[in-house]
Amino acid sequence: MSSRIFTRFVSVLLLGWTFGNTAMAAETAPNFSLPTQAGTLALADLKGKVVYLDFWASWCPPCRKSFPWMNEMERRYSRQGLAVVAVNLDKDQELADKFLNEVPAEFNVAFDPQGTVADSYHVPGMPSSFIIDRHGKIQAIHIGFREEDSTDLEASLRSALSR
Amino acid sequence: MRTLAMIIACSALLLSGCADVKPWDRDLLAQKKMQLVPAPVDNALDEHVYFSKEAASGGQGVGGGGCGCN
């Protein structure tokens, strides 16, 4: 009798372990402190702002498309309290610098070569972006970047900014 | 008996030899020299020749210039 209960318990554990995923929606965004092109930036500094947190790398082709759009968002909504933070995950700083020379960024670019912040956010794919509301909660996670998605993304940003 | 089978199945998935590669560690895999097909356009042209001349088709990935022969 107790061995049946035991096997049932182990089965539930195994099922959960095999198929359970670590999604981050509606959780508090983990804090981080990373070097940027202009000093250190911590997520806690941006409390009260809507943060568009993007994880990118030089070898990720959709990231090239996402930068002009992120520049546009920064221009349009920074006055309303939007902060765009793009975390670079290149292991080689030179590649990141080369990318930034070709595709300039008007927003905060942070560097996380070890991938510790990406790990804490359980980044599901490259690129991924997290919309963090003014209270520090993750409102939306978006994997990849396609031009067609930009209107929906902007709409999510506007709704987060309006709260 | 069925729980035992399920335990074995889940263990097979968990203990499999798949390496857990984080998405941001795929930089090496994204390099051009790491692609399965080194020259996609050349490969597509070759595939067209095989289809036209030898009536042989398939077995190749469609990525990189499939000319819609199939």
Side-chain angles (χ1 to χ4, degrees):
Chain A
M1 181 56 197
S2 65
S3 77
R4 260 185 93 193
I5 296 175
F6 176 72
T7 43
R8 292 259 165 96
F9 177 65
V10 171
S11 323
V12 169
L13 273 185
L14 273 177
L15 262 180
W17 194 4
T18 315
F19 297 107
N21 57 23
T22 42
M24 293 288 288
E27 286 188 24
T28 312
N31 192 18
F32 60 80
S33 180
L34 287 175
T36 70
Q37 298 171 306
T40 316
L41 175 68
L43 184 65
D45 298 341
L46 300 168
K47 203 75 185 279
K49 292 196 174 194
V50 171
V51 181
Y52 185 82
L53 183 63
D54 182 76
F55 290 89
W56 66 280
S58 65
W59 46 264
C60 147
C63 301
R64 250 166 226 273
K65 297 262 170 76
S66 69
F67 266 50
W69 178 82
M70 288 198 282
N71 278 335
E72 184 62 37
M73 294 298 105
E74 172 81 14
R75 268 177 239 136
R76 259 187 228 167
Y77 299 111
S78 57
R79 248 167 280 117
Q80 294 179 36
L82 174 68
V84 178
V85 180
V87 178
N88 171 255
L89 297 170
D90 272 292
K91 307 225 174 10
D92 189 350
Q93 178 75 29
E94 265 186 43
L95 294 172
D97 292 336
K98 188 160 166 286
F99 182 98
L100 289 167
N101 276 337
E102 293 161 16
V103 190
E106 295 167 27
F107 41 82
N108 302 299
V109 176
F111 298 96
D112 181 26
Q114 313 285 344
T116 31
V117 177
D119 221 357
S120 70
Y121 276 79
H122 305 294
V123 167
M126 291 297 290
S128 284
S129 56
F130 295 74
I131 297 179
I132 303 168
D133 67 13
R134 300 189 194 265
H135 310 287
K137 288 244 179 315
I138 298 175
Q139 284 297 321
I141 307 170
H142 188 81
I143 310 175
F145 185 83
R146 290 171 307 159
E147 310 271 334
E148 310 91 73
D149 299 336
S150 48
T151 19
D152 288 338
L153 278 173
E154 188 167 351
S156 310
L157 280 178
R158 290 168 77 101
S159 101
L161 282 164
S162 66
R163 281 188 222 141
Chain B
M1 192 55 215
R2 256 188 295 163
T3 35
L4 178 63
M6 205 260 316
I7 290 174
I8 291 175
C10 281
S11 306
L13 282 174
L14 287 173
L15 300 172
S16 65
C18 302
D20 183 27
V21 183
K22 300 281 182 204
W24 54 94
D25 286 334
R26 297 175 66 106
D27 48 348
L28 278 179
L29 298 171
Q31 288 175 354
K32 202 153 172 262
K33 58 189 173 189
M34 291 291 271
Q35 302 310 308
L36 280 174
V37 177
V41 178
D42 292 356
N43 189 55
L45 296 173
D46 286 343
E47 275 295 295
H48 181 72
V49 170
Y50 298 145
F51 174 76
S52 316
K53 283 193 164 183
E54 302 177 8
S57 70
Q60 294 284 334
V62 190
C67 56
C69 307
N70 293 333

